[in-house]
Amino acid sequence: MKDGVNGVALGVFIFFFLAVTVMGFWAARWRRADNAHSLDEWGLGGRSFGTWITWFLLGGDLYTAYTFVAVPAAIYASGAAGFFAVPYTIIVYPMIFTFLPRLWSVSHKHGYVTTSDFVRGRFGSKGLSLAVALTGILATMPYIALQLVGIQAVLDVLGIGGGDSTNWFVKDLPLFLAFAVLAAYTYSSGLRAPALIAFVKDTLIYLVIAVAIIYIPIKLGGFDDIFHKSAEAFAQKNPATGAPRGALAPNAAGTWGYATLALGSAMALFMYPHSITATLSSRSRNVIRRNTAILPLYSLMLGLLALLGFMAIADGIKVENGQLAIPQLFENMFPDWFAGVAFAAIGIGALVPAAIMSIAAANLFTRNIYRDFLKPNATPAQEATVSKIVSLVVKVGALVFVLTMDRTVAINFQLLGGIWILQTFPALVGGLFTRWFHRWALLAGWAVGMVYGTVAAYGVASPTQAHFGGSSDKIPGLGEIGYIGLTAFVLNLVVTVVLTFVLNAVKAPRGTDETSPSDYTADAGEPGVQTELPPATAAPSGS
């Protein structure tokens, strides 16, 4: 590890950071609409983005600071188990091809801005809509925090963050500044800011990965040496557990955990509010269909990126916080100027998704809490103002999380968010294909899944944490270790199905469905398609 501040790398990092900051503020003028004071314009970019802009936005959900820092860090810490991110990003695209175009069509037809808007309109239940909204906000908070952790890891390696010799304010000042800039241009430009910056982010990411996967193995003696040294490191026993540190290849004992985590993560990814926000910002149904076909290009590089974890081991990097392993690898291996480019890729890779996530969470609050319960007759301008303010509050909450909690728990809390968000799958995806599920059954299933998932995750311990030490536990009835989120989802679905039979049999009120079958295949420009939801229809009656 190099001592002091890496001046050259820091200079390059600051250059790119300033460049995207300018782009973020300028984005307010990019594709500006005649009336910018609405949630459609601020929170969805006017629903005007084409194939490539949407591709970069949706790709930002995959290549985040989490991808660059946490996925290789998981490989660095435990080996092959960290590769779960590769199969889940392969599984997810055929899955979303079946339902995202339907969601886009019905949302465009009725002016829905959030998944909760759709759930309320489909099932006539503000209670179920509120549950989906609160889950989305709750699951998004640790995800935003993880992006800030990525920035903090880069700042630590650059020599301008962390350190025990300075007071807390000086130590975290660079992170405060990065947060302030992010908050300012998100408030000013809305979704247009991350949409524009995403071009720079993904260009840098592809460049860094392409160089790293060729240049670093050459310096380390080739992949044979990398895998040999990694196998030796993983064979060493962990003093805290007495078990080997990890495995170079998946073992039979971890099959259920690996498979269920990959499947559950794939199902959860596009339940997150920010994924839906990027989806609804596109201008046509065909844009979504094309994106589900070409987005696997993002997965192409993910497996190569994960290999950086092995390279960090082969380079002999020793860090207490595994999230520092890859930034430290870049500083050790690359010339200072290119290390700055790599750090910029990670930093910008945090800013783009953090902006989208905060906007998505703010949209949920504005539409499904503020408008549904506090001010049903809110004007579009009032909605936009509230959403801007809430986006700042969400970022502050994430910043507090990062500054007050041990950064090593950030990944586990993000995985806990995945457990929660997966419980909205029956209401959202199920509702896109059938009205058979009863709204009260969906709400009960959601509650059971949330409680079980949270309690089960709370009981998982690790060598460093007494609670929330991971996201896998024994599957009831099977005795195998599996992903808690998927177990909770199955329990959720069973409760939903059983109660639906019961409630339908007793003819319990089902609520009003404001959608029609043709809405799910409608495209832009068709008669009756609207982009603003009138106040009079914003909150249909229901429980």
Side-chain angles (χ1 to χ4, degrees):
M1 180 178 291
K2 298 178 183 178
D3 296 325
V5 176
N6 188 332
V8 175
L10 178 60
V12 175
F13 177 84
I14 291 175
F15 168 78
F16 281 105
F17 191 86
L18 291 177
V20 299
T21 298
V22 172
M23 292 177 67
F25 284 109
W26 182 81
R29 301 174 179 272
W30 179 50
R31 294 170 170 247
R32 174 181 283 179
D34 293 334
N35 177 21
H37 301 293
S38 72
L39 212 53
D40 264 20
E41 290 299 329
W42 183 83
L44 291 180
R47 303 182 191 253
S48 63
F49 297 149
T51 300
W52 287 111
I53 298 175
T54 304
W55 186 64
F56 282 114
L57 267 181
L58 287 173
D61 299 332
L62 180 59
Y63 278 90
T64 67
Y66 168 75
T67 313
F68 242 123
V69 175
V71 171
I75 302 291
Y76 171 84
S78 59
F83 273 104
F84 81 92
V86 178
Y88 100 66
T89 57
I90 296 171
I91 296 168
V92 70
Y93 295 117
M95 187 183 301
I96 63 176
F97 185 85
T98 65
F99 71 84
L100 273 193
R102 294 178 66 84
L103 178 62
W104 183 91
S105 291
V106 70
S107 298
H108 204 78
K109 181 81 172 181
H110 292 273
Y112 298 150
V113 174
T114 68
T115 53
S116 292
D117 281 347
F118 164 70
V119 168
R120 183 198 58 225
R122 179 63 155 162
F123 296 102
S125 173
K126 288 194 291 184
L128 182 59
S129 169
L130 178 64
V132 172
L134 291 175
T135 305
I137 295 171
L138 187 64
T140 300
M141 292 292 288
Y143 218 152
I144 299 174
L146 199 62
Q147 309 313 313
L148 298 181
V149 167
I151 297 176
Q152 197 170 39
V154 168
L155 296 176
D156 286 355
V157 174
L158 281 170
I160 60 171
D164 298 323
S165 60
T166 57
N167 65 58
W168 69 269
F169 180 76
V170 174
K171 178 180 68 174
D172 294 315
L173 181 59
L175 186 63
F176 279 124
L177 295 176
F179 162 81
V181 171
L182 168 67
Y185 67 63
T186 303
Y187 185 95
S188 170
S189 304
L191 193 64
R192 286 176 171 82
L196 190 60
I197 296 171
F199 287 96
V200 177
K201 174 188 82 76
D202 289 345
T203 299
L204 289 176
I205 284 176
Y206 268 91
L207 174 64
V208 170
I209 294 176
V211 171
I213 206 66
I214 297 172
Y215 180 79
I216 296 178
I218 291 174
K219 292 198 68 175
L220 291 176
F223 278 104
D224 280 349
D225 283 351
I226 291 172
F227 290 134
H228 178 71
K229 291 177 180 177
S230 297
E232 290 181 341
F234 290 134
Q236 297 175 4
K237 291 187 176 181
N238 186 328
T241 63
R245 170 180 165 183
L248 192 62
N251 53 50
T255 300
W256 275 89
Y258 186 91
T260 54
L261 181 58
L263 178 59
S265 299
M267 295 172 64
L269 182 60
F270 277 81
M271 298 300 101
Y272 279 101
H274 57 278
S275 299
I276 301 304
T277 295
T279 299
L280 299 186
S281 68
S282 59
R283 67 176 175 228
S284 74
R285 175 185 173 92
N286 282 335
V287 166
I288 300 303
R289 293 168 65 88
R290 283 194 293 269
N291 266 277
T292 57
I294 62 177
L295 272 168
L297 288 173
Y298 271 102
S299 301
L300 182 65
M301 301 287 277
L302 187 56
L304 301 178
L305 177 62
L307 292 176
L308 295 176
F310 293 137
M311 297 178 198
I313 295 174
D315 189 41
I317 291 175
K318 304 290 184 183
V319 290
E320 292 185 6
N321 180 359
Q323 295 161 28
L324 298 177
I326 303 312
Q328 191 60 55
L329 175 69
F330 289 160
E331 185 174 50
N332 291 356
M333 292 286 104
F334 289 145
D336 288 346
W337 69 271
F338 196 77
V341 174
F343 294 152
I346 299 175
I348 299 171
L351 294 177
V352 171
I356 303 173
M357 291 168 190
S358 65
I359 290 170
N363 289 348
L364 280 170
F365 176 86
T366 301
R367 274 297 180 106
N368 309 115
I369 298 177
Y370 174 75
R371 182 166 178 166
D372 277 357
F373 294 95
L374 302 177
K375 194 167 184 178
N377 295 319
T379 65
Q382 288 173 329
E383 284 186 349
T385 300
V386 170
S387 205
K388 289 179 180 181
I389 295 171
V390 173
S391 73
L392 297 179
V393 174
V394 168
K395 293 188 192 73
V396 170
L399 185 64
V400 170
F401 177 91
V402 170
L403 297 180
T404 59
M405 300 192 72
D406 186 345
R407 285 175 289 172
T408 60
V409 308
I411 297 175
N412 286 333
F413 272 100
Q414 189 274 326
L415 291 174
L416 180 61
I419 294 172
W420 291 330
I421 203 65
L422 186 53
Q423 307 318 309
T424 65
F425 193 98
L428 176 57
V429 178
L432 287 168
F433 293 94
T434 179
R435 186 62 162 66
W436 181 78
F437 294 121
H438 196 284
R439 55 182 177 164
W440 296 347
L442 285 166
L443 189 58
W446 166 85
V448 169
M450 290 288 286
V451 171
Y452 172 84
T454 305
V455 171
Y458 179 82
V460 177
S462 74
T464 58
Q465 289 177 246
H467 303 289
F468 298 116
S471 60
S472 295
D473 199 7
K474 283 190 176 181
I475 304 173
L478 291 179
E480 300 284 352
I481 299 296
Y483 178 43
I484 293 170
L486 196 60
T487 305
F489 166 77
V490 172
L491 187 60
N492 176 349
L493 192 59
V494 169
V495 170
T496 299
V497 170
V498 171
L499 285 183
T500 294
F501 275 114
V502 173
L503 292 168
N504 286 343
V506 300
K507 301 187 184 305
R510 293 184 56 83
T512 302
D513 180 6
E514 68 180 28
T515 71
S516 62
S518 62
D519 295 345
Y520 295 87
T521 55
D523 208 342
E526 293 183 5
V529 174
Q530 61 186 40
T531 56
E532 285 291 340
L533 191 61
T537 61
S541 60
S543 62

